[in-house]
């Protein structure tokens, strides 16, 4: 108990003696965590949105002519033989016309001069959620194009593909910011501790002469790094949470952001970020202690 | 008090110890010495005679070029760094250059020696007050060490060395900056520690006034070689026979 009290007191002493540097370090750690967590939050939300969009995938096969009622089971069997499908809907010209009219609502008068046959018949194929790979969807699309009377297949995969590219790009940004986080944390903590050690060189020398153990000298410095990691990452996460609340409250309602339905990190991810920061900062401390303190 | 050197185990034992600083400065040459528990030993000699080197060798601040040093039966060449630190907690050293922290108070400087042993704050306060009282420094308790005179700093360094109630106290020129009154206080402190705690004390000094009338052993160092002090009877000297 007394040992712990001494270690804590020494840590407090270290922090007081180099408070200016400590604040700069704290800000650097906070900013690093904020940058990383910001991109990571966007990335996780993009992944979730991508998953949601993937769930809504539907392939529409536009046909040259209507499929006769008796030919539909055979066609359905052929489609299901290629890929697992949740449901297949045959849409006739008149049904397509009725749908469009319903979508236009009060404006449906514009269709009056066109006649009920101007839209092509189609087959709407809803694949199972397991078909979430863009390549597989593309292959499925190519297959559907070989069906009798198929004129065009619309998958919406181009949009999904672009979305996928953006998510991949974001993944790289997340990895880069994670690298930045690692480098900045370990270096800045190691540098701060070096300053602490240099500013207390005389005292550490006397402590050694008086028989201070390795734990007595090193543990407070290690604790200093841990505290910087914990406090800095907590501040960074808190800042991100404030930003998230501001975005969530300020941009709620229908629109693009509603599509993404942004959510904050679950507690376990938050805890992991805090833990990783503590581990990184402790690592930085350890590096400095091993390098600059000889007992 | 006469000792039976053949049976009594010494607290400190140096066997044919030689210390050569590069390139070829011989600070100690073939020194053999036994220091017994509860003894007060004066190591005398001119500046550069090797007194400080002997003190540093005993407290592991230097390693001998040749020879064996044992403290409390432990060979210092085989002791681990953690062992050295533990040993230093039991050896009080008052350095010639004091090694005080100028920006810390007298109290903090002395307390530091006890803090490394995780002594209770209450015990530290009591002990510091007692030592400051013995050395007539009570009014300097909360002053910064850097604001004290050389003589006062020297006494603070002694108080720090004595703070842990060490079994061995090494004092290097402890009266170099002191007037006769302060010197008397230091001598009294040595006697007090020796009589009350049985502390073994080694005093390296060239100040003849502090050992002139002593009953304790006095040895002389010259050019790194230990010899009987000219004014002392040879039988007072315990030289180790290899």
């Amino acid at each position: 108990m007394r040992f712990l009290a001494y270690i804590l007191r020494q840590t407090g002493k270290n922090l007081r003696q180099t408070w200016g540097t400590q604040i700069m370090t704290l800000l650097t750690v906070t900013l690093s965590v904020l940058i990383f967590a910001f991109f990571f939050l966007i990335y996780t939300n993009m992944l979730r949105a991508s998953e949601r969009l993937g769930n809504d995938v539907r392939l529409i096969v536009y046909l040259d002519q209507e499929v006769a009622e008796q030919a539909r089971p055979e066609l359905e069997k052929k489609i299901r033989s290629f890929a697992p499908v949740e449901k297949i809907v045959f849409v006739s010209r008149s049904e397509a016309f009725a749908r469009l009219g319903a979508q236009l609502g009060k404006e449906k008068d514009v269709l009056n001069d066109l006649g009920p046959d101007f839209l092509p018949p189609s087959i709407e194929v809803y694949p199972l959620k397991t078909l979430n790979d863009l390549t597989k969807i593309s292959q499925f699309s190519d297959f559907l194009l070989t069906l009798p009377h198929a004129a065009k297949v619309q998958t919406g995969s181009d949009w999904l593909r672009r979305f996928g590219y953006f998510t991949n790009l974001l993944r790289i940004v997340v990895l880069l910011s994670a690298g930045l986080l690692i480098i900045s944390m370990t270096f800045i903590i190691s540098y701060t501790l070096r300053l602490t050690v240099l500013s207390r060189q005389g005292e550490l020398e006397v402590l050694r002469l008086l028989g201070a153990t390795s734990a007595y000298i090193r543990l407070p410095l290690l604790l200093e790094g841990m505290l910087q990691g914990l406090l800095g990452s907590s501040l960074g996460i808190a800042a991100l949470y404030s930003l998230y609340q501001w975005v969530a409250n300020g941009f709620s309602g229908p629109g693009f952001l509603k599509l993404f339905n942004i959510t904050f990190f679950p507690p376990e991810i938050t805890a992991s970020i805090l833990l990783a920061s503590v581990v990184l900062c402790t690592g930085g401390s350890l590096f400095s202690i091993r390098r600059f303190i000889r007992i | 008090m006469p000792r039976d050197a053949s049976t009594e185990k010494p607290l400190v034992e140096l066997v044919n110890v030689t210390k050569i600083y590069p390139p070829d400065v011989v600070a100690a040459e073939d020194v053999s010495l036994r220091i017994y528990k509860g003894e007060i030993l004066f190591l005398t000699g001119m500046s550069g005679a090797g007194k400080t080197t002997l003190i540093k060798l005993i407290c592991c601040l230097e390693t001998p070029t040749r020879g064996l040093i044992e403290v409390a039966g432990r060979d210092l060449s085989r002791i681990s760094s953690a062992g050295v630190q533990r040993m230093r907690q039991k050896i009080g050293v008052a350095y010639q250059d004091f090694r005080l922290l100028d920006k810390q108070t007298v109290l903090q400087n002395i307390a530091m020696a006890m803090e490394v042993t995780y002594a209770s704050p209450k015990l530290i306060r009591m002990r510091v007050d007692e030592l400051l009282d013995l050395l007539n420094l009570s009014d300097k308790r909360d002053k910064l060490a850097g604001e004290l005179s050389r003589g006062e700093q020297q006494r603070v360094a002694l108080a720090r060395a004595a703070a842990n109630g060490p079994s061995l106290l090494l004092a290097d020129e402890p009266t170099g900056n002191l007037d006769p009154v302060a010197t008397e206080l230091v001598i009294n402190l040595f006697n007090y520690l020796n009589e009350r705690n049985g502390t073994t004390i080694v005093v390296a000094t060239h100040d003849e006034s502090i050992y002139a009338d002593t009953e304790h052993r006095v040895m002389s160092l010259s050019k790194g070689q230990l010899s009987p002090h000219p004014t002392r009877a040879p039988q007072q000297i315990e030289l180790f026979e290899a």
Side-chain angles (χ1 to χ4, degrees), chain A residues 2-3 6-7 9-10 13 17 202-217 295, chain B residues 61 81 85-86 88-89 91 95 99-101 104 109 112-116 118-121 124 160 164:
Chain A
R2 200 177 292 157
F3 169 77
Y6 269 108
I7 299 302
R9 197 187 304 164
Q10 278 295 112
K13 203 170 171 183
Q17 278 180 354
E203 187 182 341
L204 293 178
E205 185 62 34
V206 171
L207 282 171
R208 275 191 286 266
L209 294 176
L210 295 174
T213 57
S214 170
Y216 187 89
I217 292 176
I295 296 178
Chain B
L61 278 180
S81 61
Q85 293 308 105
R86 277 196 297 275
R88 281 181 183 165
Q89 291 178 4
I91 300 177
Y95 297 94
R99 308 273 181 109
L100 297 176
L101 297 171
Q104 298 209 9
N109 267 286
M112 196 183 278
M114 297 182 78
E115 284 171 352
V116 298
Y118 309 111
S120 77
I124 292 175
R160 187 183 63 189
N164 268 331

Side-chain angles (χ1 to χ4, degrees), chain A residues 98-111:
Chain A
R99 275 189 194 179
L100 184 60
Q103 279 171 10
L104 289 171
K106 290 175 185 173
E107 310 294 328
K108 69 176 180 183
D109 294 346
V110 297
L111 301 176

Side-chain angles (χ1 to χ4, degrees), chain A residues 261-294:
Chain A
N261 188 24
I262 298 174
T263 53
F264 200 69
F265 297 125
E268 57 270 23
I269 296 284
T270 310
S272 302
I273 293 175
L274 295 180
L275 186 69
S277 304
V278 170
V279 168
L280 283 173
C281 290
T282 310
S285 307
L286 210 57
F287 173 77
S288 240
I289 290 166
R290 287 187 165 202
R291 188 156 175 208
F292 300 114
I293 296 183
R294 298 265 178 272

Side-chain angles (χ1 to χ4, degrees), chain B:
Chain B
M1 188 196 296
R3 293 181 180 280
D4 184 356
S6 61
T7 56
E8 193 175 351
K9 190 85 181 153
L11 180 67
V12 180
E13 184 164 16
L14 285 81
V15 184
N16 302 116
V17 171
T18 296
K19 175 67 185 177
I20 303 170
Y21 290 106
D24 54 2
V25 180
V26 181
E29 190 177 3
D30 213 21
V31 172
S32 291
L33 172 68
R34 284 177 166 186
I35 304 167
Y36 293 94
K37 196 171 183 317
E39 187 181 9
I40 296 181
L41 170 71
F42 291 92
L43 283 174
T44 69
M46 303 297 284
S47 293
K51 304 187 292 292
T52 302
T53 299
L54 271 194
I55 296 277
K56 284 182 173 175
L57 286 167
I58 294 170
C59 67
C60 278
L61 278 180
E62 296 285 358
T63 50
T65 310
R66 283 192 297 275
L68 170 81
I69 303 173
E70 281 187 357
V71 175
R74 298 187 71 182
D75 180 353
L76 296 190
S77 65
R78 290 165 185 261
I79 203 166
S80 66
S81 61
V84 168
Q85 293 308 105
R86 277 196 297 275
M87 193 189 76
R88 281 181 183 165
Q89 291 178 4
K90 292 171 190 158
I91 300 177
V93 186
Y95 297 94
Q96 196 171 10
D97 53 358
F98 316 145
R99 308 273 181 109
L100 297 176
L101 297 171
D102 289 349
K103 289 177 182 170
Q104 298 209 9
T105 64
V106 168
L107 168 69
Q108 287 170 328
N109 267 286
I110 301 171
M112 196 183 278
M114 297 182 78
E115 284 171 352
V116 298
T117 64
Y118 309 111
S120 77
K122 190 180 168 190
L123 180 68
I124 292 175
R125 273 194 304 276
M126 278 171 53
R127 182 72 175 152
V128 171
D129 286 342
E130 181 194 19
L131 286 165
L132 290 179
D133 191 40
L134 282 167
L135 289 164
N136 198 21
L137 286 168
S138 296
D139 57 332
K140 309 289 181 192
R141 188 177 184 270
D142 298 315
K143 283 228 169 201
L144 294 180
E147 293 173 354
L148 303 178
S149 69
R150 298 277 296 167
E152 287 166 339
Q153 288 180 347
Q154 191 152 38
R155 280 180 282 160
V156 173
L158 271 168
R160 187 183 63 189
N164 268 331
S167 49
L168 174 65
L169 193 146
L170 307 170
D172 194 0
E173 298 290 359
T175 57
N177 297 280
L178 302 184
D179 57 36
V181 177
T183 300
E184 187 67 29
L185 287 171
V186 169
I187 300 296
N188 289 343
L189 175 73
F190 288 155
N191 289 330
Y192 173 79
L193 293 171
N194 181 251
E195 284 161 20
R196 198 185 117 176
N197 304 336
T199 305
T200 306
I201 299 171
V202 179
V203 184
T205 184
H206 66 266
D207 179 1
E208 201 173 336
S209 70
I210 64 168
Y211 62 84
D213 301 322
T214 187
E215 297 171 355
H216 301 289
R217 194 149 62 113
V218 182
M219 300 195 72
S220 180
L221 265 165
S222 178
K223 294 179 182 173
Q225 289 186 318
L226 195 67
S227 60
H229 192 273
T231 64
R232 300 281 148 175
Q235 60 268 30
Q236 275 196 314
I237 302 159
E238 290 282 351
L239 280 170
F240 180 83
E241 298 294 334

